[in-house]
Amino acid sequence: MKKSLLTLAVLAASGAAMAQSSVTLYGIVDASFGQTKTGVGAASVTKTVLNSGEYSTSRWGLKGSEDLGGGLKANFQLEAFLAADTGTGAATGGFDRLSVLGLSGAFGTVNFGRQYNPLNAMRGAANSNADSNMAITGPVAKSLGGAVPDYTLRIANSIGYTSQDFNGLTANVLVGLGEDKTTTSGASSITALTAVYKKGPLVVGFGYDNDKFAGAAVPSYTLTHTLVNAAYDFGPVRINGGYERANKDTTNATDTDVYAGLTMPVGSAAKVYLGYAKTKGDANGVKTDGNGFAITATYDLSKRTNLWAGWNKVQAQNAAGTTTQDDSRTMVGVRHFF
């Protein structure tokens, strides 16, 4: 009888503990068939391909939380790449998309590890083409090899803070520790912050990023990125637009990018997305110019599976007006969430 009571007590205690924590396996598998073209003139190459992640990057992950009491929770998320076309994973074999441990409560959320630059979520909130990999609006300069590289997307050795929602307004701050200081050079660092207002059909955001790279292997330099964007859902159509400016101090280089798009529901299961972007670069008087277009469509077969199709094209010209890049993709695919 005592053993039975002890067993029941242990099971009850175990059940209570398990009720306070949870772990979820999740992911996206995206496979598509189509044609890609890269290069200009005689140097161009056209391929027929079966690819993974052309619309949404294929991935899998684990995430969970534990209720610590008093409104405090411990949270984690581990996420890895997945190639649906070859069955391979990340080159490192690890969780190099995300590796985050944090605490959340009335104060907001604090995360530690390898995590996304907060400008990424802000950019995606007012992006066209469902913020997919077919989009060219975020910004097109990244595809065109503009005068200034894009901000660092995932930041290792970082500490991030997300505020509570203040009547639609949230703030994010992230600091990345370079950990590469030597006797002859300082440490690299990344500081990024965003403020996003989201209320009903309206989204408005502001973001700033400062990337300092130490000079152990190359001369030290600093990149800065400033982003302002917005979107509004009118019901029959959702419109979005944004402006980005990026600078690199050592080459006196500047990129300016503008983009716009719209989303149109077609019935209850389909959507069509249009996007356009234009960029101008200037590095010590050497100018570049580029633009890009994208059109995509999705059709829901269920809540977790949809079909998609898309076409995009990016072009770049140098100061003389000579085309230096002319790339395009035409793809059809299927995407499943689990």
Side-chain angles (χ1 to χ4, degrees):
M1 181 67 176
K2 289 182 179 179
K3 288 184 179 180
S4 298
L5 291 174
L6 180 61
T7 300
L8 289 172
V10 170
L11 289 173
S14 174
M18 290 178 65
Q20 294 177 354
S21 62
S22 63
V23 176
T24 301
L25 171 68
Y26 69 94
I28 301 174
V29 183
D30 182 311
S32 59
F33 171 80
Q35 192 172 80
T36 64
K37 175 188 173 296
T38 57
V40 180
S44 66
V45 177
T46 300
K47 297 180 181 180
T48 300
V49 296
L50 176 66
N51 282 348
S52 172
E54 288 283 350
Y55 200 83
S56 296
T57 302
S58 297
R59 71 198 77 163
W60 73 278
L62 300 167
K63 60 183 178 180
S65 65
E66 181 185 11
D67 189 342
L68 302 175
L72 185 65
K73 289 184 178 181
N75 313 290
F76 80 91
Q77 187 171 2
L78 305 171
E79 189 172 285
F81 287 97
L82 169 67
D85 52 344
T86 63
T88 57
T92 63
F95 295 101
D96 55 354
R97 280 183 59 87
L98 280 173
S99 178
V100 175
L101 177 65
L103 296 171
S104 61
F107 55 86
T109 300
V110 178
N111 284 324
F112 309 92
R114 179 176 173 82
Q115 50 195 312
Y116 279 99
N117 190 316
L119 267 69
N120 183 65
M122 178 195 152
R123 182 189 273 177
N127 205 348
S128 63
N129 301 98
D131 192 32
S132 71
N133 292 334
M134 292 293 289
I136 43 74
T137 55
V140 69
K142 181 179 179 182
S143 300
L144 298 172
V148 183
D150 202 15
Y151 57 74
T152 303
L153 178 59
R154 299 179 184 87
I155 303 171
N157 307 310
S158 62
I159 303 169
Y161 169 73
T162 301
S163 74
Q164 291 283 65
D165 187 322
F166 296 103
N167 196 29
L169 179 66
T170 57
N172 295 270
V173 180
L174 184 142
V175 177
L177 309 177
E179 298 187 3
D180 54 355
K181 185 177 181 180
T182 70
T183 57
T184 58
S185 67
S188 301
S189 66
I190 297 176
T191 303
L193 57 91
T194 63
V196 178
Y197 178 79
K198 187 175 182 180
K199 195 77 169 180
L202 176 66
V203 178
V204 179
F206 169 82
Y208 176 79
D209 173 87
N210 184 290
D211 291 19
K212 294 182 178 179
F213 295 88
V218 296
S220 299
Y221 64 95
T222 300
L223 306 177
T224 60
H225 299 82
T226 304
L227 166 63
V228 179
N229 65 3
Y232 193 89
D233 192 340
F234 291 92
V237 64
R238 180 181 189 264
I239 61 172
N240 70 276
Y243 169 85
E244 297 191 34
R245 184 177 178 87
N247 298 89
K248 184 176 181 180
D249 59 349
T250 54
T251 56
N252 193 30
T254 301
D255 272 338
T256 56
D257 311 288
V258 293
Y259 56 87
L262 58 87
T263 302
M264 298 178 292
V266 181
S268 60
K271 289 183 179 180
V272 175
Y273 307 87
L274 303 175
Y276 170 77
K278 185 173 183 59
T279 182
K280 289 185 176 294
D282 188 337
N284 283 324
V286 179
K287 299 182 184 297
T288 57
D289 191 6
N291 58 69
F293 306 86
I295 178 170
T296 61
T298 61
Y299 181 82
D300 295 335
L301 299 175
S302 71
K303 290 183 178 180
R304 296 191 297 162
T305 304
N306 64 20
L307 302 176
W308 67 268
W311 170 85
N312 68 14
K313 184 179 182 66
V314 293
Q315 292 181 312
Q317 299 82 34
N318 59 22
T322 302
T323 298
T324 57
Q325 184 173 351
D326 186 2
D327 299 347
S328 63
R329 288 183 291 165
T330 304
M331 308 293 296
V332 293
V334 60
R335 183 174 52 160
H336 177 75
F337 298 83
F338 64 89

